[in-house]
Amino acid sequence: MKKPKVITIDGPAASGKTTVARLLAKTLGYSLLESGAFYRLVTCLLLKHNFYEDFISKKLDPKDTLEKIFSSVTVKLTPEATQIFYEGKEINHELREIQVEERVSVVAAIPEVREFITGFLRRLVDHRLVVAEGRDMGSVVFKEAELKVFLTADEQVRAERRYKEKVEKEVLHYGTVIDNLKKRDQLDSTRKVAPLTIPEEALVLDTSNLSPEEVLQKILSHLENLEKA
Ligand code: CDP
């Protein structure tokens, strides 16, 4: 097998996807596609425009609204990050704010939102070499990807990881973090369109007791075996 064009890494919240995807992208010289950032972006822009309630209650036409709020969006993909600009300003930090985090899984369950983002991501990737991470990268968006990875980790471990990450930036209760994680996992796994699932041919790794470097090594040796085959 030759070098894969797209590598997908899916898994639940705080399973280590972004960290591992970034390490892999840097090692291989690929671009990093953080797909969750786009669901966060939709949520953030709906709130910014005061469209959130009307969008959720279907008072606004989904496609028109999404096209309108995305008209000032530009994206830059590097091996380090998916940088998102709104009206020329980078807004990645806003996408991690609590008001976005609390609503993103509700927005991501709306079929029209998924259709819009799926099309957007496919056009964005085009002929680039990417490591794409998220919930449905291997199962729906890049079904043809030559290498698919699925990361899992115990809920407790994931909550601790996310808490450590967040508490460096803001004052936060551990309970709030674990509640949010559980709620999002529940919504992401049970939604009708593109729920979180393990793609059939995926390499499944439990990262509870592995460092990001160890996960990277496992993926690289799996890739080597695939290339030999
Ligand atoms: O970093 P973390 O896994 O906590 O979140 P994320 O990857 O930024 O994703 C945020 C949310 O976006 C998820 O909880 C899902 O609701 C949604 N998402 C999705 O539906 N499909 C994807 N491919 C990626 C994210």
Side-chain angles (χ1 to χ4, degrees):
M1 199 185 90
K2 57 178 178 20
K3 226 175 157 190
K5 184 171 123 38
V6 176
I7 298 174
T8 63
I9 303 185
D10 290 299
S15 54
K17 300 182 303 280
T18 311
T19 310
V20 169
R22 182 175 293 126
L23 280 175
L24 188 61
K26 288 199 315 196
T27 307
L28 301 175
Y30 281 33
S31 296
L32 172 63
L33 180 69
E34 296 169 81
S35 63
F38 295 88
Y39 291 97
R40 290 174 182 270
L41 177 65
V42 172
T43 313
C44 174
L45 295 181
L46 288 174
L47 289 169
K48 223 187 231 317
H49 289 273
N50 269 327
F51 288 161
Y52 182 81
E53 296 301 334
D54 287 347
F55 189 84
I56 295 295
S57 58
K58 303 202 184 313
K59 283 193 197 127
L60 292 172
D61 179 80
K63 200 159 173 273
D64 285 353
T65 310
L66 290 165
E67 270 165 15
K68 183 173 172 181
I69 61 178
F70 263 59
S71 61
S72 307
V73 169
T74 45
V75 180
K76 187 175 168 206
L77 299 183
T78 72
E80 299 273 346
T82 298
Q83 284 176 291
I84 301 183
F85 301 84
Y86 181 69
E87 292 176 341
K89 282 201 205 103
E90 202 198 306
I91 61 159
N92 288 63
H93 60 282
E94 286 185 41
L95 307 181
R96 294 263 151 203
E97 286 174 359
I98 188 78
Q99 63 270 29
V100 172
E101 192 122 334
E102 278 172 355
R103 294 170 178 86
V104 59
S105 292
V106 173
V107 172
I110 300 172
E112 291 88 346
V113 172
R114 301 212 71 81
E115 195 187 324
F116 182 84
I117 296 299
T118 296
F120 186 90
L121 295 178
R122 287 183 181 145
R123 286 192 298 277
L124 182 67
V125 165
D126 194 20
H127 292 302
R128 279 185 242 240
L129 299 174
V130 293
V131 179
E133 61 93 358
R135 304 290 187 292
D136 62 344
M137 296 295 97
S139 58
V140 176
V141 182
F142 303 111
K143 252 188 151 136
E144 74 294 350
E146 297 97 329
L147 172 58
K148 299 180 185 182
V149 179
F150 191 92
L151 300 184
T152 61
D154 296 342
E155 192 175 80
Q156 181 81 14
V157 173
R158 295 192 287 113
E160 277 164 22
R161 278 185 193 158
R162 187 48 52 94
Y163 180 68
K164 266 195 206 144
E165 215 176 271
K166 291 225 166 237
V167 91
E168 282 169 15
K169 296 178 202 141
E170 58 189 310
V171 183
L172 210 69
H173 292 293
Y174 182 70
T176 316
V177 175
I178 195 159
D179 275 0
N180 175 273
L181 214 84
K182 278 187 182 169
K183 274 190 201 139
R184 283 202 291 130
D185 280 355
Q186 165 73 12
L187 281 167
D188 293 344
S189 312
T190 55
R191 68 183 173 221
K192 287 211 177 77
V193 183
L196 176 68
T197 40
I198 304 179
E200 255 173 46
E201 60 280 55
L203 166 71
V204 182
L205 297 172
D206 184 332
T207 72
S208 307
N209 298 305
L210 296 175
S211 68
E213 191 57 44
E214 286 170 322
V215 179
L216 172 71
Q217 289 312 323
K218 283 184 189 290
I219 298 174
L220 289 175
S221 53
H222 182 75
L223 181 59
E224 242 172 64
N225 290 335
L226 281 181
E227 281 173 349
K228 274 190 221 141

